[in-house]
C-alpha cells in the first residue's frame, strides 16, 4: 500500500501542472482581461463587456492625430482609445502583462511552489486571506449538507432495499425523484417565499450566517442563532443529494442481499438485523462510505452561486464567480491551484477509506 500511495502522490505533480497549463492557456484567448476591466471603468462604461457589445466612447473632443496615435498604440485593448499610452504601459507592468505568457506562467507556478498566491487585482487583499474570509460559509453548506444527506439517505436506502417492491419503496422513490428533479435554486426560492417573509411566514432570516447581535449572545444563543440562519440554505443545498445517495445505498444492499453468504447466514438462524448490519452493511456501504471525502469536497468547493446569492451568503461560490467575471487572475488561479491540489489528495484519501472499510482491498495487487 505504501508504494501505491507514493505513486499517487508523485502523480499529483504532473496532474496539477497539466490542470494549470490548460486553464492558463484558455485564459489567453478569453476577451476582457483585467486591463480591459480598468479601461472600461476609466471610460465610464462600468464593465468591459459593454465595449464588446458595441458601446463606444465619444471621441469628438479628441484631435485626429491624438486619436490615431492612441488607437495605434493601444489597439490590442478594447476601448483604450483616448487613454495615454503611459497609462496602459503602467497597467501592463502592474499586472505583469509586459512579460510573455510563458514567463508569466513560470513565475506564477514558482510563486505557488513557495505558497505565495499573490494579491487580488481589485480587492487589494491576499488570495489566501480572501479564501479564509469566505471559508465559513462554504464549510457550513458543505459539512451540514453532506452530513444530513448521509444521515437520511443511508437508513432510507437500507429500508427501501429491505422493503423492495413494497408501497413504501414505491412512494419514497417517487418522492426522492421529484426532489432530485427540482433545481436547488428553485427550491431555495420556494423556501424563501414560504418561510423567509416572501409571501407567507417569516420563520427564518434571509441574510448571513449570524445575527447582528451575535457577539452579545450566550453560547447557547449563538448555537441557536447559527442553526436558525443556516436551516434554509442547507436544505436547499441538500435536496438534490438525497436521490443519488439513497438509490446508491438501496442498490448496493440489494446486490449484497442476493449473495450466497447472506443466505448462509440466514440458514444458520441469525436474526435479520444481525444479517443486515453484521454481514451485509460493511460490504454494501463500501462505495457509499468510502466516497464521503469526495462528496464533501465536491459540495464544499462547488457551492452554488445561486443559493449563496439568494440567501445573501458570501462564500467560495460567489468568490469564484466574481473573480472569473472580473478576470481577477490571482484569485482564479490561486484558488484553482489550492482546490485542485486538495481534490487530488482527497482522491487518495478515498482510496484509503476503501481499505479502511474493507481491508481485503489491495490496490497494489489490482494495479499489478
Amino acid at each position: 500500500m505504501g508504494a501505491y500511495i507514493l505513486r499517487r502522490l508523485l502523480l499529483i505533480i504532473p496532474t496539477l501542472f497539466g490542470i494549470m497549463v490548460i486553464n492558463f492557456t484558455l485564459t489567453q484567448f478569453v476577451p476582457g482581461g483585467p486591463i480591459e476591466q480598468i479601461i472600461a471603468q476609466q471610460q465610464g462604461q462600468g464593465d468591459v463587456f459593454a465595449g464588446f457589445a458595441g458601446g463606444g466612447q465619444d471621441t469628438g473632443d479628441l484631435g485626429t492625430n491624438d486619436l490615431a496615435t492612441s488607437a495605434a498604440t493601444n489597439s490590442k485593448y478594447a476601448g483604450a482609445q483616448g487613454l495615454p499610452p503611459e497609462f496602459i504601459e503602467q497597467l501592463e507592468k502592474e499586472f505583469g502583462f509586459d512579460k510573455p505568457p510563458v514567463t508569466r506562467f513560470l513565475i506564477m507556478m514558482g510563486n505557488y511552489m513557495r505558497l505565495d498566491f499573490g494579491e487580488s487585482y481589485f480587492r487589494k487583499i491576499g488570495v489566501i486571506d480572501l479564501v479564509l474570509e469566505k471559508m465559513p460559509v462554504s464549510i457550513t453548506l458543505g459539512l451540514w449538507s453532506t452530513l444530513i444527506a448521509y444521515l437520511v439517505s443511508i437508513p432510507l436506502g437500507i429500508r427501501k432495499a429491505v422493503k423492495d417492491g413494497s408501497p413504501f419503496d414505491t412512494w419514497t422513490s417517487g418522492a426522492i425523484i421529484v426532489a432530485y428533479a427540482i433545481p436547488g435554486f428553485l427550491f431555495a426560492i420556494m423556501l424563501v417565499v414560504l418561510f423567509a417573509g416572501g409571501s407567507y411566514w417569516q420563520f427564518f432570516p434571509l441574510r448571513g450566517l449570524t445575527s447582528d447581535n451575535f457577539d452579545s449572545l450566550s453560547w447557547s444563543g449563538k448555537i441557536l442563532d447559527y442553526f436558525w440562519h443556516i436551516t434554509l440554505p442547507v436544505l436547499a443545498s441538500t435536496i438534490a443529494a438525497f436521490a443519488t445517495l439513497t438509490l446508491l445505498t438501496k442498490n448496493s444492499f440489494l446486490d449484497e442481499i442476493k449473495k450466497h453468504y447472506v443466505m448462509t447466514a440466514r440458514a444458520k438462524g441469525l436474526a435479520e438485523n444481525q444479517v443486515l448490519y453484521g454481514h451485509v452493511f460493511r460490504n454494501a456501504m463500501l462505495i457509499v462510505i468510502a466516497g464521503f471525502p469526495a462528496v464533501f469536497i465536491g459540495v464544499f468547493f462547488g457551492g452554488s452561486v445561486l443559493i449563496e446569492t439568494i440567501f445573501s451568503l458570501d462564500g467560495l461560490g460567489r468568490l469564484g464567480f466574481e473573480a472569473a467575471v472580473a478576470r481577477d487572475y490571482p484569485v482564479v488561479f490561486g484558488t484553482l491551484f489550492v482546490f485542485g491540489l486538495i481534490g487530488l489528495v482527497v482522491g487518495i484519501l478515498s482510496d484509503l477509506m476503501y481499505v479502511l472499510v474493507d481491508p481485503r482491498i489491495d490496490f497494489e495487487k489490482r494495479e499489478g
Side-chain angles (χ1 to χ4, degrees):
M1 190 64 184
Y4 170 79
I5 295 175
L6 179 60
R7 286 196 296 271
R8 288 291 301 272
L9 289 174
L10 292 176
L11 280 174
I12 288 178
I13 299 174
T15 304
L16 188 59
F17 186 82
I19 292 173
M20 299 302 296
V21 167
I22 292 173
N23 285 273
F24 185 87
T25 303
L26 290 176
T27 59
Q28 306 308 307
F29 302 98
V30 177
I35 293 181
E36 282 91 340
Q37 296 284 353
I38 299 295
I39 291 173
Q41 295 174 9
Q42 291 292 323
Q43 302 285 35
Q45 297 173 2
D47 191 280
V48 65
F49 301 107
F52 295 116
Q57 181 195 14
D58 183 7
T59 57
D61 295 335
L62 296 175
T64 304
N65 293 335
D66 292 340
L67 179 60
T69 302
S70 177
T73 304
N74 303 322
S75 59
K76 64 178 179 178
Y77 295 116
Q81 290 81 3
L83 293 177
E86 296 79 9
F87 176 72
I88 302 300
E89 293 175 0
Q90 180 182 357
L91 286 179
E92 289 181 334
K93 185 175 182 180
E94 180 179 350
F95 291 134
F97 288 98
D98 56 333
K99 302 178 180 66
V102 175
T103 303
R104 285 190 281 118
F105 177 77
L106 294 177
I107 293 175
M108 180 184 72
M109 293 302 295
N111 292 334
Y112 288 177
M113 292 297 104
R114 299 193 303 271
L115 300 181
D116 178 9
F117 297 98
E119 187 179 82
S120 169
Y121 283 156
F122 305 107
R123 305 189 188 213
K124 301 305 179 183
I125 182 175
V127 173
I128 294 298
D129 294 332
L130 192 58
V131 170
L132 293 176
E133 178 184 313
K134 314 298 182 183
M135 195 76 78
V137 171
S138 296
I139 289 178
T140 293
L141 295 180
L143 179 62
W144 290 113
S145 297
T146 305
L147 287 178
I148 292 174
Y150 269 79
L151 290 175
V152 173
S153 297
I154 290 179
L156 180 59
I158 294 174
R159 185 67 176 173
K160 286 173 63 63
V162 174
K163 299 291 185 180
D164 185 40
S166 67
F168 172 82
D169 180 43
T170 302
W171 73 260
T172 52
S173 294
I176 62 175
I177 289 174
V178 169
Y180 182 75
I182 300 176
F185 75 90
L186 186 61
F187 186 65
I189 294 175
M190 184 180 71
L191 291 175
V192 170
V193 171
L194 291 176
F195 303 114
S199 299
Y200 295 91
W201 306 283
Q202 190 167 4
F203 295 148
F204 298 96
L206 187 59
R207 182 179 299 275
L209 286 181
T210 57
S211 300
D212 294 335
N213 63 336
F214 181 79
D215 292 334
S216 63
L217 297 175
S218 62
W219 281 106
S220 59
K222 290 181 178 180
I223 294 174
L224 291 175
D225 183 76
Y226 171 73
F227 282 105
W228 184 46
H229 279 77
I230 70 171
T231 298
L232 296 187
V234 168
L235 284 177
S237 300
T238 310
I239 186 68
F242 286 122
T244 303
L245 195 54
T246 300
L247 294 179
L248 179 62
T249 303
K250 175 190 173 182
N251 293 333
S252 297
F253 258 77
L254 285 177
D255 290 341
E256 293 297 324
I257 287 174
K258 296 176 183 178
K259 292 183 178 179
H260 292 294
Y261 74 89
V262 176
M263 292 185 287
T264 302
R266 286 172 174 166
K268 289 180 178 180
L270 294 179
E272 188 65 17
N273 284 340
Q274 287 180 301
V275 174
L276 289 177
Y277 297 102
H279 293 75
V280 176
F281 184 83
R282 186 179 70 175
N283 296 325
M285 288 295 97
L286 176 62
I287 189 172
V288 177
I289 296 176
F292 180 85
V295 172
F296 171 67
I297 292 297
V299 176
F300 178 68
F301 292 129
S304 173
V305 177
L306 293 175
I307 290 178
E308 290 182 8
T309 302
I310 291 170
F311 292 103
S312 300
L313 298 173
D314 195 7
L316 293 176
R318 287 183 64 180
L319 173 65
F321 173 75
E322 292 171 358
V325 171
R327 304 297 192 266
D328 197 345
Y329 291 149
V331 177
V332 172
F333 291 121
T335 53
L336 177 65
F337 181 88
V338 174
F339 298 161
L341 178 60
I342 293 176
L344 293 171
V345 172
V346 165
I348 300 176
L349 293 178
S350 296
D351 290 346
L352 294 178
M353 286 288 291
Y354 278 107
V355 177
L356 181 63
V357 175
D358 190 349
R360 296 173 298 176
I361 295 178
D362 191 333
F363 285 102
E364 293 185 6
K365 291 182 178 179
R366 291 169 65 92
E367 285 189 345

